[in-house]
Amino acid sequence: MALAMALAGPLAGRVPPWAVVRLMVGCLCGGALVLACLARTSSLTLYVAVATVGGAVLGVANSLTLIATQAVIRPERAGEASGVTKTVITVTAGLGVELAGAVTDQDRGVGSEAAADTALLITAAGCLAACAVLAVWSRLRKGMVRAGSGESEG
């Protein structure tokens, strides 16, 4: 899975700027689907295969985050914005690890398989929520650009 994520970065760099947000939305939806499937997969072989696909999909989304950030920020502020973006991603990942740790707390009597499934489903819901927010933002931004340029729809 780590290899799939590492290979996803160079692929994301080849995406044209106009397609970055659309691809991020697709990757986040795909990531949500993959994570939900992992929670229901019982075969180790299938689990590893699905997790590898998930690593690639979420790796592309992660790489596109910086590209998208730099596309909407003035060039003189792009470095600062990229740093803030990566900090938010790192903090969110840390909170996810904390959530997984809380869910798998053995003192509360939660079994490890049920806990892992719960963590995967919560993470899938987070991906789906991020996908929805990004899709709405993209639509609103596109509408504002059209309104600002005087174009009419239809």
Side-chain angles (χ1 to χ4, degrees):
M1 185 164 113
L3 179 61
M5 289 184 79
L7 293 174
L11 293 175
R14 299 183 193 280
V15 175
W18 58 266
V20 168
V21 174
R22 286 183 185 169
L23 185 56
M24 281 177 62
V25 169
C27 287
L28 287 169
C29 285
L33 179 64
V34 164
L35 290 165
C37 287
L38 285 175
R40 301 292 180 231
T41 302
S42 58
S43 159
L44 178 62
T45 305
L46 186 58
Y47 188 93
V48 169
V50 172
T52 301
V53 170
V57 168
L58 293 173
V60 169
N62 182 43
S63 298
L64 290 172
T65 302
L66 293 179
I67 296 168
T69 299
Q70 293 170 358
V72 298
I73 301 296
R74 294 188 319 260
E76 64 271 11
R77 305 287 310 263
E80 178 184 345
S82 293
V84 170
T85 301
K86 287 310 270 184
T87 299
V88 168
I89 290 170
T90 302
V91 169
T92 303
L95 292 173
V97 169
E98 175 65 27
L99 170 67
V103 171
T104 58
D105 183 4
Q106 294 300 320
D107 293 336
R108 295 186 186 165
V110 179
S112 62
E113 185 177 345
D117 290 348
T118 301
L120 286 168
L121 292 173
I122 290 170
T123 307
C127 276
L128 200 54
C131 174
V133 167
L134 188 58
V136 168
W137 173 82
S138 176
R139 287 290 225 181
L140 291 173
R141 186 168 184 263
K142 189 176 180 181
M144 288 189 306
V145 168
R146 281 190 181 154
S149 67
E151 292 182 22
S152 62
E153 291 188 33

